[in-house]
Amino acid sequence: MHLKSFSLKNSVLSVAIFLCFVRQSHELYEDQIGKFDWKQDFVGKVKNAFFDGDRIIVATEQNVLAALSVRTGSIQWRKVLEKDTRGSIQYLHVVQTNKNELTRSGEYSDYDVITVSGINPAMVRGWNPSTGNINWEWSLTPNTPVNGENSLWFYQDSILYHVVPVYGSHIEITGYYASSGQHVKSTTTRISAPWIVQGKCIMAVPYFACAIGSQLVGVNLLAESSVLVARDFDRDVSGSPLKLLKGVDATVIIGNEAYTLQADKVVLKSTTDAFNFNLKISNENILLSGALQDDKSIRMQSTYLDSGKAYNDLYMVANFPETFGLPEILDVQCKSKGSGPVACRMLLSSDNAALILMQQGKTKWVREEALANIVAIEMIDLPLADFEGSIESELQNKDGDIFGTLLRRISNQILQIRNLILTVVGLDAHRPDLATDVDLTRDAFGLHKMIVAVTEYGKIFGIDNMSGKYHWIKHLPNFSGFNEHQSLKIFVQRTSRHFPHPPMCSVIGKNKNNGNGILYQFNPISGQSINGGITTLDYKIQQVSLLHDTESDFLKAILILDQQNQVHVIPKESANLAHKMYLYTADKTKGTLSGFFINYANKQLDAIPIWEINLGGAGNIQKITNIAMKSSIEHVHSQGRVLNDRSVLYKYINPNLVAVATQGPDSIHKYVLNIHLVDVVSGAVVQSLTHRRAKGPIHMVHSENWLVYSYYNDKVRRTEITSVELYEGKTQANSTIWSSLDAPQMPMVEKQSYIVPASVVSLKETITEKGITNKHVLIALSNGGIIEMPWVLLDPRRPILLPNQGREEGVIPYIPELPLPSENVINYNQSVTAVKGIYTAPSGLESTCLVVVYGLDFFVTRIAPSKSFDLLKEDFDYILITVVLAALTISSCVAKHLSSRKTIKQAWK
């Protein structure tokens, strides 16, 4: 009896403890998840894809292998391979085995997904398509590393063939058993082929074919004897690009015609359309051809490949907006029920990274994978509501017309009453512009903004920062980035704060056709073009900047310096505003910086060179790897730091200071990293720091009087962060205005280095409206976490020993290793993969900073570095405070009444 009672008590206690843990695990910040943040996952621009039942296996240019749902396009699983060329997927193949055949382990065999990534070495992996797990893996180092970049692969009958063409000489082919990596033959087969020329050949499995003169020459790589196959033409085809006809072997497309290298097949079929795909229906080869129409639609038609007759069961015309770009068929999946019509799914990929699934003439879903390659971001304030805009127009009345103001007030109130009646009745008032939509109006705290994201493919998105909705999309097909890895640039020429003038942004890039500059001006709220939209320039761009002053329309003009050091201003009417402006350029290869003075005289602008410095060292071995500037919208709240003796240590706040990082080899220390602080107006080098045996990647943040940068210490093999602070001293040179043309004052330098127990991929400082809130540094780690690091931990004045003065200043003791607590991860468990950058913007609340993290994923949130000191908490008890205020008000009224009665009674005595 006692044993049963004891057992029952133990069981109840165990259940109670279990329920307690379950309750705690579900209540940890659960109400905050997804309330002020959201995240979108991407895979990148797809280059190979295959249907695999109810999923699609894709390989992308961002070194991603993933499985997408056929029904919704959502990611079922995703694997991100190594960076750069090490993880570049060279080959993708989906192998279907017999599902009715049992494997050695007693389970039914599944599909295998085979990928080949990298060059030297090449990693061959087999993946489980259901889970994304690796089934097997082996590596291969090419025998001739020089020709390893030309490696080609194909799979046939459980054998993976590695083909290395040595142009002008021969072709090497080696077979491996796919799952084990063992050689099929003891030696590599060499096929003599002195006729192969780089850039004029293609591998149409199992043939390797080249366009030579008026012939298409090919050799069968799997034949026992290397017999050449030639197809003659009546014209020279060596200058025509060769393309593969997907879905069928040994067939290539030259110009607008398809040719096969197999002797028992038809040699020629005309394909006058833009893109083609071959599929088999009832053992017949069907050529599916598609072309774009002028009415923003796509036309798909099909013919029998052998006879050329039309196959009418596959003909459709579907909507295809111009924002999708130029399409390419990746794969087609068709099904037919008896004698009924054939139903096909077509997976299309466009040149601007859009992934589209079309079914029965309709677009089933679209994935905008261009957002995996964002190169520039801006956040724009939303415009005022209609009634707020009318108030602004009334306040701007400066002519003293009282009668006109009264009429405008009466008309505005009548309009508001009309809109109210229409809303109550259920009819919406006419909204001619997207910007007047209730979802796109400024909120009270300025937390609702429009994110304008510019991608590498010339695609621009207007994204709602609250919901992640795409309000508009614009594709600029002729835009590309500049030289030296300089991407497209975006400038905010006018914000939405200047009612009734609409906001205006400009995207500047290089014309793909001739390399000259090209400009696109648009409204960032509605996405509509301004001033005709695209402006083509007749010169190449060397440097571009915004002017500081504006005309009466509050529009900031764009200043452009071309390759011949000629100055241009857009619009031209604002050229006089560029007078006495300073500009600098950087040559990353030579490691030089050059400064220019802009002079306006006789209605003409001239760029006068005034200084040039060489940071490349002897032989220009040091290359510029990074340049960090201060934010143009930054506000410095405090100009000094109060010490323990109540004196002030003034900050060295130079608005013209730029941080330049150079890196190069060294015969003694292997790598040398230099950080230079340069005044780009006078050309003076204010401070230089050197790190030996240190290399990149370098990430820098420059704000107020401090600089923070991260690098890899090759000596001790770890990532480190160095923080630098600059001070003028206890006397301030000039408290009103800064001038770089005065005698240079060397600042006091405080610096300290810290160890980061992780790999840093990006740095960014927080920014607020007035600069009152403490600044924190956002650190993006390679594991996908975004750490909010308080400045007190990065402070270079942290002493090794904590004296009394340090304690009074609030400085904590120095510890080499920076802590990375999990509570400081602003994206909690929502890892952001392959982060490329962090963007921060102020909100209407001084305490709140808006954050956008972009890379392979897109994450948006908001943070409060000094807590929400200007906003009531969410759990604030409004009922209690209302009752208390009401009770105090009533009590004061009653007390006043009783006091007055008492005074009257005393007066009558």
Side-chain angles (χ1 to χ4, degrees):
M1 184 68 181
H2 293 288
L3 291 176
K4 291 183 178 180
S5 176
F6 179 75
S7 176
L8 181 60
K9 290 180 180 180
N10 283 346
S11 301
V12 173
L13 182 61
S14 301
V15 172
I17 293 174
F18 175 77
L19 292 177
C20 290
F21 277 108
V22 170
R23 180 183 177 89
Q24 291 175 2
S25 64
H26 282 278
E27 288 183 352
L28 183 62
Y29 302 107
E30 187 176 2
D31 58 336
Q32 297 292 328
I33 294 177
K35 189 169 185 179
F36 303 120
D37 59 79
W38 52 269
K39 177 174 175 281
Q40 295 179 355
D41 300 332
F42 302 99
V43 296
K45 185 178 181 181
V46 177
K47 56 183 181 180
N48 285 312
F50 295 96
F51 282 102
D52 182 23
D54 59 350
R55 69 178 71 90
I56 304 173
I57 306 298
V58 298
T60 71
E61 293 181 357
Q62 281 68 39
N63 302 352
V64 174
L65 178 69
L68 306 178
S69 171
V70 172
R71 298 182 58 186
T72 63
S74 59
I75 300 176
Q76 294 182 349
W77 55 263
R78 182 182 68 177
K79 300 296 179 182
V80 182
L81 305 186
E82 297 85 353
K83 294 181 181 180
D84 302 327
T85 57
R86 290 184 57 207
S88 178
I89 301 177
Q90 308 294 331
Y91 180 72
L92 170 68
H93 188 79
V94 178
V95 183
Q96 182 178 1
T97 58
N98 187 3
K99 281 195 170 184
N100 297 323
E101 183 179 329
L102 289 175
T103 61
R104 294 181 181 178
S105 60
E107 299 178 354
Y108 286 100
S109 60
D110 202 353
Y111 296 89
D112 271 333
V113 176
I114 298 176
T115 62
V116 180
S117 58
I119 298 174
N120 187 16
M123 300 297 299
V124 183
R125 296 181 174 102
W127 308 80
N128 187 324
S130 301
T131 61
N133 297 329
I134 296 180
N135 292 336
W136 42 265
E137 178 185 42
W138 50 275
S139 62
L140 172 67
T141 302
N143 297 327
T144 55
V146 178
N147 300 315
E149 297 180 356
N150 302 325
S151 294
L152 301 171
W153 304 81
F154 70 93
Y155 176 91
Q156 188 167 343
D157 298 333
S158 300
I159 298 176
L160 183 65
Y161 292 94
H162 181 209
V163 180
V164 180
V166 180
Y167 292 102
S169 177
H170 62 276
I171 302 174
E172 299 178 359
I173 179 170
T174 309
Y176 302 90
Y177 291 106
S179 58
S180 63
Q182 296 180 354
H183 287 266
V184 176
K185 297 181 180 180
S186 58
T187 59
T188 298
T189 303
R190 287 196 174 194
I191 301 175
S192 178
W195 43 269
I196 61 176
V197 181
Q198 190 170 7
K200 300 181 182 297
C201 299
I202 195 171
M203 188 171 68
V205 179
Y207 287 86
F208 190 88
C210 296
I212 308 297
S214 60
Q215 284 187 326
L216 177 65
V217 182
V219 59
N220 192 337
L221 301 176
L222 300 182
E224 295 182 358
S225 58
S226 55
V227 178
L228 295 182
V229 177
R231 297 287 181 256
D232 296 326
F233 301 91
D234 55 357
R235 66 185 189 280
D236 187 3
V237 295
S238 59
S240 302
L242 299 181
K243 296 181 181 179
L244 283 178
L245 178 58
K246 294 185 177 181
V248 63
D249 293 338
T251 305
V252 297
I253 297 176
I254 302 178
N256 61 346
E257 297 173 335
Y259 297 86
T260 181
L261 293 167
Q262 295 180 350
D264 57 341
K265 296 292 181 70
V266 177
V267 176
L268 170 65
K269 280 296 162 201
S270 175
T271 61
T272 58
D273 299 279
F275 46 92
N276 306 273
F277 191 90
N278 181 79
L279 60 148
K280 282 205 171 190
I281 300 177
S282 301
N283 294 325
E284 293 286 348
N285 280 323
I286 306 298
L287 179 64
L288 182 65
S289 302
L292 292 177
Q293 304 295 308
D294 295 334
D295 56 351
K296 298 179 182 180
S297 63
I298 187 173
R299 174 177 54 85
M300 292 284 187
Q301 61 183 6
S302 56
T303 58
Y304 288 98
L305 186 63
D306 295 336
S307 62
K309 295 182 180 180
Y311 183 76
N312 297 324
D313 289 348
L314 282 181
Y315 178 82
M316 67 176 185
V317 177
N319 292 329
F320 202 85
E322 60 181 5
T323 56
F324 288 171
L326 299 177
E328 175 191 4
I329 300 178
L330 293 177
D331 201 7
V332 180
Q333 185 183 56
C334 294
K335 293 182 180 179
S336 60
K337 295 182 180 180
S339 59
V342 178
C344 290
R345 293 170 174 167
M346 284 170 285
L347 186 66
L348 305 178
S349 176
S350 68
D351 60 341
N352 61 21
L355 188 64
I356 308 108
L357 182 69
M358 304 191 72
Q359 183 174 344
Q360 300 300 103
K362 296 181 180 180
T363 301
K364 192 171 183 180
W365 50 258
V366 179
R367 290 186 60 90
E368 294 291 353
E369 295 298 335
L371 288 171
N373 272 62
I374 294 177
V375 295
I377 278 185
E378 288 290 345
M379 267 194 180
I380 312 297
D381 291 325
L382 295 178
L384 297 172
D386 293 337
F387 69 93
E388 293 176 339
S390 62
I391 295 175
E392 287 286 337
S393 61
E394 292 177 12
L395 294 177
Q396 291 178 2
N397 181 31
K398 300 178 181 180
D399 55 2
D401 186 7
I402 301 177
F403 183 72
T405 304
L406 177 62
L407 289 179
R408 282 193 296 270
R409 171 60 62 88
I410 294 174
S411 61
N412 287 335
Q413 290 181 349
I414 294 174
L415 181 61
Q416 293 176 15
I417 294 173
R418 170 181 171 273
N419 293 337
L420 177 63
I421 295 174
L422 290 176
T423 304
V424 172
V425 173
L427 300 176
D428 291 334
H430 177 64
R431 296 186 176 96
D433 192 1
L434 179 64
T436 60
D437 196 338
V438 68
D439 294 334
L440 291 178
T441 54
R442 193 181 308 171
D443 58 331
F445 297 132
L447 298 172
H448 193 188
K449 294 179 182 287
M450 177 72 74
I451 301 175
V452 180
V454 182
T455 66
E456 181 184 351
Y457 308 102
K459 208 168 188 178
I460 313 174
F461 293 82
I463 307 174
D464 195 312
N465 77 316
M466 288 291 199
S467 61
K469 176 183 177 182
Y470 304 157
H471 287 288
W472 54 267
I473 302 174
K474 179 66 178 179
H475 180 215
L476 306 174
N478 293 329
F479 280 65
S480 66
F482 299 98
N483 297 329
E484 297 182 353
H485 307 288
Q486 293 293 313
S487 56
L488 295 171
K489 305 296 180 183
I490 181 172
F491 293 96
V492 181
Q493 293 187 256
R494 183 170 54 211
T495 65
S496 58
R497 297 186 179 184
H498 306 290
F499 185 86
H501 302 287
M504 180 174 170
C505 288
S506 293
V507 173
I508 301 178
K510 183 177 67 174
N511 196 326
K512 290 182 179 179
N513 300 325
N514 53 23
N516 291 338
I518 190 169
L519 176 74
Y520 176 69
Q521 296 177 320
F522 62 99
N523 186 327
I525 306 301
S526 63
Q528 299 175 354
S529 59
I530 299 177
N531 298 331
I534 297 177
T535 302
T536 303
L537 308 177
D538 56 356
Y539 47 84
K540 293 179 172 60
I541 296 177
Q542 180 182 184
Q543 182 63 285
V544 61
S545 177
L546 278 180
L547 297 184
H548 303 296
D549 299 328
T550 63
E551 298 282 2
S552 59
D553 57 355
F554 305 100
L555 182 69
K556 291 185 177 181
I558 297 177
L559 178 69
I560 299 177
L561 182 70
D562 62 18
Q563 294 288 354
Q564 283 72 37
N565 292 339
Q566 299 296 321
V567 186
H568 311 269
V569 173
I570 301 176
K572 296 181 180 180
E573 295 77 15
S574 301
N576 61 316
L577 299 178
H579 183 52
K580 294 184 179 181
M581 185 174 175
Y582 292 87
L583 200 68
Y584 81 96
T585 61
D587 190 330
K588 291 188 174 183
T589 304
K590 297 180 180 179
T592 59
L593 294 177
S594 302
F596 297 89
F597 174 73
I598 308 301
N599 182 46
Y600 180 77
N602 299 325
K603 297 183 180 181
Q604 185 176 357
L605 286 171
D606 294 319
I608 303 174
I610 55 177
W611 59 265
E612 181 175 352
I613 57 177
N614 187 356
L615 304 177
N620 292 329
I621 60 174
Q622 290 280 324
K623 311 299 181 184
I624 297 178
T625 58
N626 203 341
I627 297 177
M629 299 175 293
K630 298 180 181 180
S631 174
S632 60
I633 61 174
E634 179 183 62
H635 292 275
V636 181
H637 175 67
S638 175
Q639 293 188 356
R641 181 169 184 167
V642 180
L643 303 180
N644 66 309
D645 58 357
R646 300 301 180 263
S647 62
V648 178
L649 186 62
Y650 290 100
K651 300 176 181 178
Y652 181 83
I653 302 176
N654 184 351
N656 307 317
L657 202 63
V658 172
V660 181
T662 62
Q663 185 179 351
D666 185 81
S667 58
I668 300 176
H669 304 99
K670 295 177 66 174
Y671 308 100
V672 174
L673 170 65
N674 294 316
I675 306 295
H676 305 278
L677 295 175
V678 182
D679 190 316
V680 292
V681 170
S682 63
V685 178
V686 176
Q687 183 67 28
S688 293
L689 304 173
T690 300
H691 301 271
R692 295 174 176 84
R693 296 196 64 179
K695 60 180 181 179
I698 311 297
H699 305 285
M700 297 195 298
V701 170
H702 191 197
S703 177
E704 292 191 5
N705 68 317
W706 53 265
L707 171 70
V708 173
Y709 56 94
S710 66
Y711 55 92
Y712 182 76
N713 191 328
D714 191 58
K715 181 179 180 180
V716 290
R717 300 183 183 276
R718 67 191 181 198
T719 301
E720 295 181 357
I721 285 183
T722 296
S723 60
V724 181
E725 271 190 324
L726 306 178
Y727 293 96
E728 290 189 38
K730 294 189 177 182
T731 58
Q732 196 171 15
N734 195 329
S735 60
T736 57
I737 189 172
W738 178 273
S739 176
S740 295
L741 301 179
D742 295 338
Q745 179 184 2
M746 291 297 102
M748 299 170 50
V749 180
E750 299 280 352
K751 56 181 178 295
Q752 193 63 269
S753 296
Y754 299 93
I755 303 170
V756 183
S759 179
V760 178
V761 294
S762 185
L763 293 175
K764 189 66 176 179
E765 83 281 10
T766 60
I767 188 170
T768 53
E769 187 75 18
K770 301 298 182 182
I772 302 174
T773 306
N774 294 333
K775 279 188 177 289
H776 288 183
V777 177
L778 300 178
I779 305 175
L781 306 179
S782 58
N783 60 6
I786 312 297
I787 297 291
E788 183 182 358
M789 185 65 64
W791 176 252
V792 68
L793 296 177
L794 294 170
D795 194 343
R797 300 185 75 250
R798 290 176 60 181
I800 298 177
L801 299 176
L802 186 61
N804 293 331
Q805 64 262 21
R807 187 178 294 108
E808 292 183 13
E809 290 182 31
V811 182
I812 61 177
Y814 173 75
I815 300 176
E817 185 170 314
L818 287 175
L820 301 178
S822 57
E823 57 269 20
N824 283 18
V825 180
I826 64 174
N827 56 332
Y828 43 99
N829 65 337
Q830 299 195 76
S831 298
V832 184
T833 308
V835 175
K836 292 183 178 178
I838 304 175
Y839 177 85
T840 56
S843 66
L845 292 173
E846 172 56 31
S847 63
T848 305
C849 174
L850 305 178
V851 180
V852 179
V853 184
Y854 57 95
L856 191 59
D857 301 328
F858 197 76
F859 178 72
V860 178
T861 186
R862 64 193 196 201
I863 59 176
S866 298
K867 307 300 181 183
S868 300
F869 57 83
D870 54 356
L871 190 67
L872 295 176
K873 295 183 179 180
E874 296 179 3
D875 57 352
F876 184 80
D877 198 339
Y878 294 94
I879 298 177
L880 178 61
I881 195 65
T882 303
V883 171
V884 171
L885 290 176
L888 289 175
T889 303
I890 296 173
S891 300
S892 62
C893 293
V894 172
K896 181 180 180 180
H897 178 69
L898 295 177
S899 176
S900 62
R901 290 185 60 183
K902 182 179 180 181
T903 303
I904 294 174
K905 287 182 179 180
Q906 289 179 352
W908 282 100
K909 288 183 180 180

